[in-house]
């Protein structure tokens, strides 16, 4: 990815390289800059302090990142 590319541009490159589809992807977000890429993946997760647009598109919500909520969510999922 070149300077100025979006989070989605970078994620798309990584997913293509590892052979994973966006629909198979889980991600955690909290800010408006996460809306684009979270809206294109299969399992968007909102962190407790997430902006309203993130809350609206999330399929699940977790506690604040300072509580290790993402790690607990993944451990429970696996």
């Amino acid at each position: 990815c070149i300077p100025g590319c979006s989070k989605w541009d970078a994620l798309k490159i990584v997913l293509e390289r590892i052979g994973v589809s966006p629909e198979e992807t889980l991600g955690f977000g909290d800010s408006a800059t996460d809306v684009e890429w979270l809206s294109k993946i299969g399992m968007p997760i909102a962190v407790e302090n997430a902006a309203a647009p993130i809350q609206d598109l999330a399929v699940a919500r977790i506690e604040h990142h300072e509580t290790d909520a993402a790690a607990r969510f993944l451990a429970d999922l696996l």
Side-chain angles (χ1 to χ4, degrees):
C1 201
I2 59 172
C5 71
S6 69
K7 290 179 179 182
W8 170 243
D9 294 331
L11 178 59
K12 190 168 49 170
I13 290 168
V14 170
L15 293 176
E16 288 171 0
R17 286 188 182 169
I18 63 173
V20 174
S21 73
E23 295 78 20
E24 299 172 291
T25 303
L26 175 151
F28 302 93
D30 63 356
S31 74
T33 62
D34 297 325
V35 170
E36 179 187 21
W37 70 271
L38 283 173
S39 68
K40 296 178 181 185
I41 65 170
M43 193 170 197
I45 311 295
V47 178
E48 182 178 59
N49 61 316
I54 301 295
Q55 296 282 348
D56 293 342
L57 67 87
V59 298
R61 290 167 183 76
I62 62 169
E63 295 175 6
H64 196 276
H65 64 82
E66 291 177 350
T67 68
D68 292 330
R72 283 196 320 275
F73 182 90
L74 292 172
D76 291 346
L77 186 66
L78 298 174

